[in-house]
Amino acid sequence: MIYSLSRALKRKEIYKDQMDNPEWYTKAQEYWNGVTPTIDGMLGGFAVVDPVDVKGSLDFVHEYVYGKKGANNSVITEPTMKEEKYACDCGAGIGRVAKNFLLKVPFEKVDLVEQAPSFVEQAKSSYLAKEIEEGKIGNVFCQGLQDFTPEEGKYDLIWCQWVLGHLTDDHFIDFFKRCVRGLKPNGLIGVKENNAKVEAIVDDEDSSVTRTSDDLKALFTKAGLTLIKEEVQTGLPQGLFAVRMYMLKPTQQ
């Protein structure tokens, strides 16, 4: 979820002990169970950012799908994702990112991973009903990322947006190690997350942590990932955390 800085002022700045609390995940589940399954609910009351967010994500992944071109339309790099592209939307909510971004890339098929049963039901029965009927949506997994294991060698892109703050550091690392095994050859992992400025900040209300960019990069490295591209999302309203996108590949192919 996207967060405002005013909400962040209520947060604590030491989070290691809180992550060890057995209630870390149950509190998050309880919070999201109470959120309305709408675009506004998925974005914490900031539905207005959806078009800007989607455009930023589409631009960010463009070169990996279509290649990178220079002067006179000369090819600088070939696309890494070829035919029958398959993506996984992690922390999918009702499917906003899958519908408005991943299927517009386009990926031929997208799986969803979401722990809130009400969001999964809304995705299946309404928000993504047309896409499911058209065969564009594959599996919809109702579980948290701390428990999710991707099928080996399945995905061209695993995309994680505004969800990783709910994982403890250890589960963050373990999750991405499993994701590496879920990638096709030349497959990539995309991350889009809020960034704290100086040090990590915990939100007690939804049981999440907003990490600094350096914190995230350190965890990526521990998970066996190499950062190949990084961009700041522009065009967001004032008063929100900075949002960065990261493209990652397995350090050892």
Side-chain angles (χ1 to χ4, degrees):
M1 180 171 69
I2 196 163
Y3 289 116
S4 67
L5 290 172
S6 60
R7 176 170 171 174
L9 293 176
K10 301 174 184 177
R11 301 180 188 182
K12 298 176 182 178
E13 299 193 3
I14 299 174
Y15 67 96
K16 298 294 185 182
D17 290 343
Q18 288 174 273
M19 283 186 169
D20 291 333
N21 190 318
E23 296 181 350
W24 177 259
Y25 288 113
T26 56
K27 284 178 65 178
Q29 181 79 61
E30 289 169 0
Y31 173 84
W32 286 107
N33 284 346
V35 171
T36 306
T38 62
I39 296 298
D40 205 47
M42 300 304 96
L43 291 172
F46 291 94
V48 66
V49 310
D50 178 67
V52 174
D53 164 59
V54 169
K55 184 180 185 306
S57 299
L58 286 169
D59 290 346
F60 185 70
V61 304
H62 186 274
E63 67 181 273
Y64 303 104
V65 179
Y66 298 100
K68 193 172 185 178
K69 297 183 179 180
N72 301 317
N73 213 30
S74 60
V75 176
I76 299 174
T77 58
E78 295 287 344
T80 58
M81 301 177 195
K82 306 294 184 180
E83 301 296 325
E84 300 299 320
K85 297 180 291 296
Y86 208 133
C88 185
D89 178 8
C90 293
I94 64 172
R96 180 192 72 88
V97 168
K99 182 171 188 167
N100 296 345
F101 163 41
L102 294 171
L103 287 175
K104 300 286 177 63
V105 169
F107 285 92
E108 279 67 35
K109 187 166 283 192
V110 179
D111 286 349
L112 278 64
V113 187
E114 170 54 50
Q115 72 167 354
S118 62
F119 298 170
V120 169
E121 176 58 29
Q122 179 71 3
K124 288 181 174 180
S125 65
S126 179
Y127 191 73
L128 291 176
K130 180 174 179 287
E131 289 78 7
I132 291 172
E133 185 177 348
E134 293 171 344
K136 296 178 180 178
I137 300 298
N139 295 302
V140 181
F141 301 101
C142 188
Q143 61 186 142
L145 299 189
Q146 69 274 15
D147 300 316
F148 176 62
T149 299
E151 180 182 328
E152 190 168 342
K154 184 175 186 179
Y155 299 113
D156 296 280
L157 178 70
I158 296 176
W159 186 263
C160 308
Q161 180 165 345
W162 288 326
V163 65
L164 298 176
H166 289 297
L167 293 178
T168 67
D169 287 355
D170 288 343
H171 284 161
F172 184 115
I173 294 167
D174 291 342
F175 166 67
F176 278 112
K177 286 181 177 178
R178 296 194 300 273
C179 285
V180 166
R181 296 192 290 271
L183 296 174
K184 293 180 183 178
N186 299 317
L188 299 170
I189 296 172
V191 169
K192 192 166 188 174
E193 281 294 337
N194 299 323
N195 289 163
K197 204 166 192 178
V198 179
E199 57 186 332
I201 304 171
V202 165
D203 187 330
D204 286 326
E205 184 178 356
D206 70 356
S207 196
S208 69
V209 58
T210 301
R211 298 175 172 95
T212 68
S213 186
D214 286 343
D215 289 339
L216 289 170
K217 290 176 185 177
L219 292 174
F220 295 150
T221 299
K222 289 179 180 179
L225 294 167
T226 296
L227 180 65
I228 58 174
K229 185 179 181 181
E230 174 185 352
E231 282 186 9
V232 174
Q233 171 70 57
T234 60
L236 296 176
Q238 291 185 345
L240 301 178
F241 275 112
V243 175
R244 278 183 174 81
M245 295 171 281
Y246 308 87
M247 193 63 81
L248 305 140
K249 69 176 183 179
T251 302
Q252 295 183 340
Q253 292 283 359

